[in-house]
Amino acid sequence: MAETAEKRDGILETIKTVVYALLIAGIFRTLLFQPFWIPSGSMKDTLLVGDFLFVNKMAYGYSQYSCPFAMCSFIDGRWLGSEPERGDVVVFRHPVTKSDFIKRLIGLPGDSVQVKGGVLYINGTMAPQEPNGVFIEAFEKQGPVGNLPQCENGGVPLGGECRKSRFTEVLPNGVRHDILNIRESRLDDTPVYTVPEGHYFFMGDNRDNSTDSRVSQNAMGVGFVPYENLIGRADRVIFSSAGRSMLFFWTWRADRFFEKIV
């Protein structure tokens, strides 16, 4: 009987340990940091396919999208909210598809945003671009999905060098970040977008390979993103793997571990 009681107590302790661990993980994910894996190349070369990071959820406060499984649907608006800054790399909930996206914040409420000849203008003022060499990566399948990168130099064989011109863009508040060019595209010349109050305008750093606010939600883009849809700010890459699985240690990018996101 004593042995049976000991087994029962052991099982109960194991269950309690698992429950406590799940509660702690849930609190950590909801209030502090949410893990995020980069699935696409829209933010190259700031973020690469296979980068793993934690999103700082304290940066902008909490909304109904802060909790997993829609558990925070009771939150109306935003709690403990603070305003994001232009140039922040932000994870947000798509207003229509409800998927999580990561892009760079370009336009604040009330701003006018336009792209002319591939150059960004905010409130009529050009954001200067400085040539910054070439971004080179292997033309091969990337990440679990296995998508091939897009290249400025055409006709690249598998395993060859995929090249993109790189520029450093300077935003009006002084934030400097890299952007890439692949080709001339329709998104290199846009109308003037006026950002509504309570909304934000986002763009990917890989400008010719990004679904972002330059395309309306009706046209399967992102459009303007409401404040309450912001989940958090991406501050630092924690881990990075170029392979289809993080278990493939020979594909780890050790030089990107704990790299600050700018």
Side-chain angles (χ1 to χ4, degrees), residues 20-107:
Y20 290 153
L22 290 174
L23 285 174
I24 293 170
I27 292 171
F28 182 88
R29 187 183 187 281
T30 299
L31 299 180
L32 303 177
F33 299 97
Q34 175 177 321
F36 192 85
W37 193 278
I38 303 300
S40 72
S42 69
M43 281 295 292
K44 292 177 180 177
D45 66 343
T46 303
L47 296 171
L48 305 181
V49 177
D51 281 352
F52 179 81
L53 50 90
F54 282 105
V55 179
N56 181 354
K57 303 184 79 169
M58 298 175 286
Y60 311 133
Y62 307 95
S63 74
Q64 61 175 309
Y65 300 110
S66 297
C67 300
F69 312 117
M71 293 172 59
C72 288
S73 56
F74 60 89
I75 297 180
D76 184 19
R78 202 162 196 96
W79 290 358
L80 304 175
S82 58
E83 297 294 328
E85 296 183 6
R86 194 189 316 276
D88 285 356
V89 176
V90 180
V91 172
F92 58 88
R93 188 66 49 84
H94 190 287
V96 177
T97 67
K98 304 306 180 185
S99 300
D100 289 348
F101 276 51
I102 185 166
K103 305 289 180 186
R104 189 176 298 275
L105 176 54
I106 297 297

